[in-house]
Amino acid sequence: MQNSRANPGIRRFAALFTLMTVALLPACGGGSGDGTVAPPVATQPPPVTAAPQLTLYAGNTGGAGWVDGRAADARFDGAYDVKLGKDGSFYIADTENHVIRRMTAGVVTTLAGQAGIWGDADGTKTAASFTRPQGIAVDGAQNVYVADTGNRRIRKIDANGNVTTLAGRFELAEPVDGPGSVARFINPVGVNVDDAGIVYVVDRESSRTPGRLRKITPDGVVTTVVAQDSTFAVLGDAVAIDLAGNLYVIGAVGSDTTTLPSPGGSVLPNIVRTAKLLRLSPAGAVTTLGTVSSDASYGGIAVDRLGNVYFSKTSNHEVYAYTASTGQIGLLAGSYRPTGGFDSHGLPFAPQSLGSADGTGVAAQFNRPAGLTTDAAGNLYIADVFNNTLRKASPAGVVTTLAGAAAKRGDANGPALQATFGRNISGSATDGAGNVYVSDRDVIRKIGIDGQVSTFAGGSAGTVDSTGAAVRFTSLAGITIDPAGNVYFIDHVLVRKIGLDGKVTTIAGAAGMQGHVDGAGANARFEALQGITRDGAGNLFVTDGTVVRKITPAGQVSTIAGSAVETGSADGSGSAARFGSLYGITADAAGNVYVADQVYSTLRKISPAGQVTTIAGQAEQEGLVDGAGANARFTNPTGIVIDPSGNLYVSDSGNRAIRKMAPDGTVSTVIMVPSLKQFLFEPILQSLTLGSADTLYLTQSGAVLKLTLGGK
């Protein structure tokens, strides 16, 4: 079962990322010359071209994604469970990436599966596929067991990376015991393995429905675990095992119930079984260690060598500890409380919400913590699902981030690497002094050469021409700046300008009025503005859905290429040409205009006479292929910019790559960009601008990156 909808770019990215080193480190300036004098021509060695280098310039690159590498640079997507192997490696069920990851000595790699591709194929390493694997366990021989939740199977990965199906198959969701593929699971979510190689599985229909424990022998025979008390049921998503073979779960036993608030304003009582922390002995005896909240979901559970039990209260973003020596349950870390109080360390806490902050006890924040594992020193490791991180909590409750990075989005100004940006930074430009300007929702932000981020214009939604705080923008996109420093930009269906005096004016279009009408200034109508550029004569050119429009210095708007009523990918003159969905736009010194057709994955050129030609790629032929002109392939290109030498640089968003088209038409790949998960229809790589002959700035969700080309 192969996922035909998976993004092809992420597959190519997986293959190519290992070929290059990309350091997402704080920018430290450009320059690649060593200042030495060249030897005589007769003895001069071939010139050495420095490798392109990508650095974080402003904002942050945290959030969901798929990147192997150093722990801090690694990216996960909804990783739900983690286990520590006896080899000292962490094994991670990276749920939304459909892969199994391993972290050894601070380096994250992909153990099995391919990111972004779901399926049920057995095979070796990347030849295998999973569907939303949620639980993970590892035995003493480094065999890894996976609750392949979306496939209703339990999979095994041996020490050589061979993936096989241990039990279950995707058919009816029902609890059927039996050998191998005869067995059935409803919804296997949690898994663990004891020293004898017996695998235990939490099998639940939903988070609101009591489930059962299943047991799988090493030869794949599945049975249902039977407790001495027939009222025993599982309420959490995980099972832990201690050195004596006792099992621990969040569950229910006995007849006691709890009445919760009725959902949806229902007048009917909402009576549920009372949730408890339970221990199940090898003989099936059930012991209640304590009562826990019945109105929460529980994602993970672990037990250390001293018999202390830890469990994650996932819905409340908290982690709790049962202390064996006292028999008490207390809050270890995190807080999501409507009122203040004291944690198990005696520290006071105030009301807090979910987040990603490191800290001690209630000062730490999580965003749906789930899977847990412990080490011999008593440290606890937590799969922080919605933060896409692996966290560590010391026995004293000190929480740190071990791998991955949480998304930090917002509008905070300040030092570039502490500032925050929104998810869609859809426009960028540079001025003559080296300052970078980006469109960030309804504000234009400035990243100064001093490394400080500030708000250049705007501040709240609306459409108001004015100065200072009175200015209002609606939905910003492309930006361009003229040699004098005037800023021109797209604001929904308007083309607007910020003059040298800081005054904002609208030079074309009318607020709230969409359409396709040529004309002067406010009489013109636009439909889907995105990119903007400027030629040497002061004319502005914009991409407007399936057409390219021109705005003269006098404000006269005309359509120079494409049709507003018909899409396609046809070359031709003026209105005879057809485009799919245009995004980025740039112009050269001769007055030629270049556009990136995101839908048809091509680069197009419009001459000063309005003649449209396809200069690279082929319509509806996606891929990551270097070569000359029509032999090259792109996948959903977005940003495009031209340098003084006539080289075109392109944000090849679907491939997560920056591409270059030389004046002779040859397309090459400059660098692959470790990128975040795509949200809805937002492009992964959003805008591209030229800083100098050797520097590009590109934007992605929440971040501005600097690419030093190194002569490439």
Side-chain angles (χ1 to χ4, degrees):
M1 182 172 65
Q2 201 73 359
N3 178 12
S4 61
R5 297 174 297 168
N7 191 319
I10 201 167
R11 297 197 294 270
R12 290 183 287 273
F13 176 69
L16 290 171
F17 180 78
T18 57
L19 300 179
M20 51 189 56
T21 301
V22 178
L24 284 177
L25 302 173
C28 58
S32 58
D34 59 8
T36 58
V37 178
V41 173
T43 60
Q44 183 172 341
V48 177
T49 300
Q53 185 168 11
L54 189 66
T55 55
L56 177 61
Y57 193 64
N60 71 92
T61 59
W66 176 81
V67 178
D68 283 341
R70 298 183 311 163
D73 298 331
R75 295 294 180 266
F76 307 94
D77 189 2
Y80 199 84
D81 199 9
V82 58
K83 291 294 189 297
L84 178 62
K86 291 185 178 180
D87 62 345
S89 297
F90 292 93
Y91 296 83
I92 302 157
D94 195 354
T95 305
E96 301 302 333
N97 276 326
H98 311 291
V99 294
I100 305 303
R101 315 283 290 278
R102 177 170 57 195
M103 184 170 75
T104 304
V107 176
V108 176
T109 58
T110 299
L111 179 65
Q114 291 190 61
I117 300 183
W118 51 262
D120 60 0
D122 288 338
T124 301
K125 298 181 180 179
T126 58
S129 55
F130 304 86
T131 301
R132 301 194 75 249
Q134 190 165 320
I136 197 165
V138 57
D139 66 18
Q142 309 314 318
N143 295 301
V144 177
Y145 301 88
V146 179
D148 193 0
T149 307
N151 287 318
R152 300 188 188 124
R153 301 179 183 188
I154 303 302
R155 314 287 292 280
K156 178 181 177 179
I157 310 170
D158 69 18
N160 295 317
N162 299 308
V163 179
T164 55
T165 298
L166 182 64
R169 65 181 180 184
F170 189 83
E171 287 188 1
L172 293 176
E174 53 184 351
V176 176
D177 290 340
S181 61
V182 173
R184 300 283 185 277
F185 298 93
I186 295 177
N187 191 43
V189 289
V191 65
N192 217 325
V193 60
D194 67 15
D195 290 338
I198 303 296
V199 176
Y200 292 89
V201 181
V202 174
D203 191 16
R204 300 186 63 197
E205 183 174 348
S206 72
S207 61
R208 297 294 181 183
T209 306
R212 55 186 54 79
L213 277 178
R214 315 287 294 280
K215 181 170 72 173
I216 310 174
T217 63
D219 57 357
V221 177
V222 178
T223 57
T224 299
V225 175
V226 178
Q228 293 179 9
D229 190 325
S230 61
T231 64
F232 169 79
V234 180
L235 300 179
D237 284 350
V239 56
I241 308 173
D242 68 15
L243 297 175
N246 297 299
L247 306 179
Y248 297 83
V249 297
I250 299 296
V253 67
S255 59
D256 48 331
T257 60
T258 299
T259 301
L260 302 177
S262 298
S266 173
V267 297
L268 298 176
N270 183 19
I271 301 174
V272 300
R273 298 189 68 183
T274 300
K276 302 170 183 178
L277 174 61
L278 302 177
R279 180 173 63 214
L280 182 66
S281 75
V286 182
T287 302
T288 298
L289 301 181
T291 299
V292 299
S293 299
S294 299
D295 61 346
S297 61
Y298 298 89
I301 192 166
V303 58
D304 66 18
R305 296 189 176 191
L306 299 178
N308 302 306
V309 183
Y310 307 88
F311 56 93
S312 55
K313 194 175 180 181
T314 304
S315 58
N316 284 39
H317 318 291
E318 299 166 320
V319 177
Y320 283 80
Y322 164 82
T323 304
S325 60
T326 64
Q328 299 296 310
I329 295 175
L331 179 65
L332 176 70
S335 180
Y336 192 60
R337 303 267 181 157
T339 58
F342 294 87
D343 68 4
S344 59
H345 309 290
L347 298 175
F349 61 79
Q352 283 189 325
S353 63
L354 59 89
S356 61
D358 289 338
T360 301
V362 296
Q365 293 178 314
F366 302 97
N367 193 346
R368 297 193 69 81
L372 305 174
T373 192
T374 60
D375 65 16
N379 297 299
L380 181 69
Y381 301 89
I382 305 143
D384 195 354
V385 181
F386 283 3
N387 277 326
N388 303 292
T389 53
L390 177 61
R391 314 287 291 280
K392 175 183 177 180
S394 73
V398 179
V399 176
T400 54
T401 299
L402 191 64
K408 296 180 180 179
R409 305 292 180 261
D411 57 5
N413 290 323
L417 299 183
Q418 298 175 25
T420 55
F421 297 84
R423 275 196 348 205
N424 193 4
I425 309 174
S426 54
S428 58
T430 56
D431 64 18
N435 301 298
V436 179
Y437 300 80
V438 297
S439 56
D440 187 10
R441 296 162 296 179
D442 55 11
V443 296
I444 294 177
R445 315 280 294 280
K446 176 182 176 181
I447 309 165
I449 57 175
D450 59 356
Q452 294 292 314
V453 176
S454 59
T455 298
F456 182 68
S460 59
T463 305
V464 178
D465 286 345
S466 187
T467 58
V471 172
R472 297 289 182 269
F473 303 131
T474 299
S475 180
L476 298 174
I479 308 176
T480 190
I481 302 175
D482 69 17
N486 296 294
V487 178
Y488 303 86
F489 58 98
I490 301 298
D491 184 12
H492 193 215
V493 292
L494 306 177
V495 179
R496 305 178 74 180
K497 173 185 175 181
I498 305 175
L500 300 182
D501 58 357
K503 184 176 181 180
V504 175
T505 55
T506 299
I507 60 176
M513 304 294 288
Q514 286 183 276
H516 182 270
V517 179
D518 289 338
N523 295 321
R525 297 290 181 268
F526 300 96
E527 185 69 34
L529 290 170
Q530 183 59 52
I532 186 170
T533 192
R534 179 184 176 279
D535 69 11
N539 298 297
L540 297 173
F541 298 87
V542 296
T543 53
D544 186 15
T546 58
V547 296
V548 178
R549 317 283 292 276
K550 175 182 177 180
I551 308 165
T552 68
Q556 188 69 33
V557 178
S558 60
T559 301
I560 64 169
S563 168
V565 296
E566 185 176 340
T567 64
S569 186
D571 289 341
S573 180
S575 60
R578 296 291 181 268
F579 301 99
S581 178
L582 298 177
Y583 202 93
I585 186 169
T586 191
D588 66 18
N592 297 296
V593 174
Y594 304 85
V595 293
D597 193 335
Q598 189 177 15
V599 167
Y600 288 104
S601 295
T602 54
L603 305 185
R604 315 286 292 278
K605 174 183 175 181
I606 309 164
S607 73
Q611 187 68 32
V612 178
T613 54
T614 300
I615 58 173
Q618 284 195 21
E620 299 183 289
Q621 298 290 315
E622 295 181 348
L624 179 58
V625 179
D626 290 339
N631 295 322
R633 295 291 180 270
F634 305 87
T635 302
N636 308 130
T638 50
I640 185 170
V641 67
I642 193 165
D643 72 10
S645 299
N647 298 295
L648 284 171
Y649 292 91
V650 180
S651 298
D652 193 357
S653 185
N655 287 320
R656 296 163 165 82
I658 300 300
R659 314 287 295 281
K660 173 185 175 181
M661 182 176 179
D664 65 0
T666 302
V667 175
S668 59
T669 299
V670 177
I671 200 167
M672 304 298 294
V673 182
S675 295
L676 306 182
K677 180 180 180 180
Q678 184 173 11
F679 289 92
L680 298 176
F681 300 107
E682 294 176 2
I684 297 168
L685 301 179
Q686 295 165 348
S687 68
L688 188 66
T689 192
L690 185 69
S692 67
D694 193 47
T695 304
L696 296 173
Y697 296 94
L698 54 145
T699 64
Q700 60 177 215
S701 179
V704 180
L705 307 179
K706 178 181 178 180
L707 175 58
T708 303
L709 296 168
K712 185 164 183 177

